[in-house]
Amino acid sequence: DSGNTAVDFLTEDEAQSLRDRLASELRYDPSTSNRDNIDYDPLRYWVLYIDHIRKSYPSDSKRQFLINERCARAFMSRPFIVPSYQNDARFIRICIYYADKTSCPNDVFKLMSKLKVGKKVSLFWVAWAWVAEKSEDYQFTEKIFQK
């Protein structure tokens, strides 16, 4: 049959995964529609994709940086789609990886703090303190550990 589409060659699970990922990337909001009653966790698909990129291209640090940057910016550039992501360890790790690979990681941590991302997650504070210590700002490092 020459009328087959790419979806015809996927398993049902793969097709559903693709539909879910596209819904996530298109910022589908399930609160506006009860259609299919899907489990709405856009970050899950980002995490899976980031993991896929890391495993598929282990030496391509630029590609890894760009996907982490895209995810971090997608959720920090506007009010959070899912407020619980602010203290979601998965999202915090993505932001920390992104910050670590930028030329000014402290700016990323300041933005995260301003948006209350990671405020209840010790990993956020330890990573920020490490960045401050690496830049030899020991006074600020101490201040972070006191929080």
Side-chain angles (χ1 to χ4, degrees):
D1 181 21
S2 62
N4 287 347
T5 64
V7 176
D8 293 331
F9 298 105
L10 300 174
T11 67
E12 185 55 36
D13 288 342
E14 291 169 331
Q16 184 62 46
S17 177
L18 179 59
R19 283 192 293 273
D20 292 344
R21 191 179 87 226
L22 290 174
S24 169
E25 289 179 10
L26 295 172
R27 296 177 186 89
Y28 170 72
D29 183 0
S31 65
T32 62
S33 170
N34 197 14
R35 203 176 81 210
D36 297 335
N37 195 19
I38 65 168
D39 174 25
Y40 189 64
D41 181 10
L43 185 59
R44 178 175 67 194
Y45 302 105
W46 279 100
V47 169
L48 291 171
Y49 187 55
I50 289 167
D51 188 49
H52 166 74
I53 294 296
R54 284 187 184 146
K55 289 177 181 172
S56 300
Y57 309 98
S59 61
D60 191 346
S61 58
K62 182 176 181 176
R63 185 179 294 209
Q64 292 178 29
F65 168 78
L66 291 174
I67 191 64
N68 280 276
E69 176 186 42
R70 188 171 165 207
C71 179
R73 288 178 182 250
F75 288 100
M76 288 197 291
S77 66
R78 61 186 172 293
F80 280 79
I81 297 171
V82 181
S84 63
Y85 287 168
Q86 288 175 305
N87 291 296
D88 188 308
R90 301 170 302 168
F91 184 60
I92 306 306
R93 280 189 211 100
I94 291 167
C95 292
I96 289 170
Y97 178 89
Y98 166 60
D100 184 52
K101 303 300 180 187
T102 64
S103 57
C104 298
N106 200 40
D107 291 346
V108 176
F109 282 99
K110 285 179 185 176
L111 176 62
M112 290 172 70
S113 179
K114 179 180 175 186
L115 296 174
K116 297 180 172 72
V117 173
K119 287 207 133 185
K120 296 179 181 177
V121 179
S122 60
L123 179 63
F124 166 75
W125 297 107
V126 170
W128 195 2
W130 182 79
V131 165
E133 186 173 330
K134 196 165 90 171
S135 65
E136 298 181 3
D137 189 350
Y138 302 113
Q139 187 175 6
F140 188 63
T141 303
E142 186 63 33
K143 188 176 173 183
I144 291 171
F145 276 126
Q146 289 176 1
K147 289 189 179 196

